[in-house]
Amino acid sequence: MLAVPASAGVTVSSASIEVSISAPKGRPVFHAVETLLLPPDAKPAARLRAVLSVDNDGPRAESGAVVRYALSARIRRVGEGGGEGRWTVPFLLDERHLPQVKRGRGVPVNLPLNRVAIVQHLKTLRGAGYWPDALRLEAVFAPRAGESLEGRTAVKTIPIDWKPAQAKAAPAAPAAP
């Protein structure tokens, strides 16, 4: 007979995308964002990561969990009017092995997003005349024998704002005598 796990296991209660601007010294400080400012003519300076808020209601820590995640973009042609773009296939696929997920609610699990892959994808899009107007993260804890996917998946979409950063105001010219 196959034994079915007695614990509820790991479930995902929320997902977020966080941004950190590179600092000259020290560790980067990440902040959750609901929109990303990234005009097509700018070079991405921010570092991105995803964070899953995980609940482990089981009687003990869960070991050997695997999180698989993907990042995809909704793209549209640069210079066209408003409207939403079209979702593309994921351009970043990765997985993270977690040796142990502690018991409790709201345990954060950081998922690094490969900065080089993101910048390369944005360069390719820009070269083709497209740019993303949203990013979507999809994550799933890989199920084990006898477990369902119920509560083990997460999807987070954040829009990308194209408006260019405002230039610093030029100093006012002195009045003519």
Side-chain angles (χ1 to χ4, degrees), residues 83-99:
E84 290 187 352
R86 297 210 178 231
W87 286 106
T88 63
V89 297
F91 64 89
L92 178 73
L93 300 168
D94 209 347
E95 64 181 33
R96 172 128 190 250
H97 296 261
L98 304 170

Side-chain angles (χ1 to χ4, degrees), residues 16-17 46 57 69 85 87 91 97 105 107 127 131 139 150 154 156 174:
S16 64
I17 294 183
D57 294 331
Y69 56 100
W87 286 106
F91 64 89
H97 296 261
R105 296 192 148 296
V107 177
W131 197 250
E150 188 68 33
K156 177 68 177 179

Side-chain angles (χ1 to χ4, degrees), residues 1-153:
M1 281 194 181
L2 291 175
V4 176
S7 67
V10 174
T11 57
V12 180
S13 55
S14 68
S16 64
I17 294 183
E18 295 184 347
V19 172
S20 171
I21 304 297
S22 298
K25 287 187 178 180
R27 295 170 42 112
V29 177
F30 286 89
H31 304 282
V33 294
E34 290 302 317
T35 186
L36 190 60
L37 177 62
L38 188 60
D41 57 353
K43 182 177 180 183
R47 223 176 247 182
L48 298 175
R49 76 174 178 190
V51 178
L52 300 180
S53 183
V54 174
D55 300 335
N56 182 0
D57 294 331
R60 61 187 178 280
E62 175 125 358
S63 61
V66 177
V67 182
R68 291 188 177 93
Y69 56 100
L71 190 65
S72 54
R74 186 176 66 198
I75 62 172
R76 65 181 176 150
R77 187 170 292 281
V78 174
E80 283 187 357
E84 290 187 352
R86 297 210 178 231
W87 286 106
T88 63
V89 297
F91 64 89
L92 178 73
L93 300 168
D94 209 347
E95 64 181 33
R96 172 128 190 250
H97 296 261
L98 304 170
Q100 189 175 54
V101 179
K102 297 178 182 175
R103 283 186 67 224
R105 296 192 148 296
V107 177
V109 174
N110 297 329
L111 304 175
L113 299 175
N114 186 324
R115 186 176 186 181
V116 173
I118 293 171
V119 169
Q120 183 60 44
H121 184 68
L122 293 176
K123 279 183 179 179
T124 303
L125 287 176
R126 186 181 310 129
Y130 289 89
W131 197 250
D133 65 358
L135 292 176
R136 178 172 57 203
L137 169 79
E138 297 173 281
V140 63
F141 273 91
R144 297 182 181 144
E147 292 180 337
S148 77
L149 285 177
E150 188 68 33
R152 296 176 69 91
T153 62

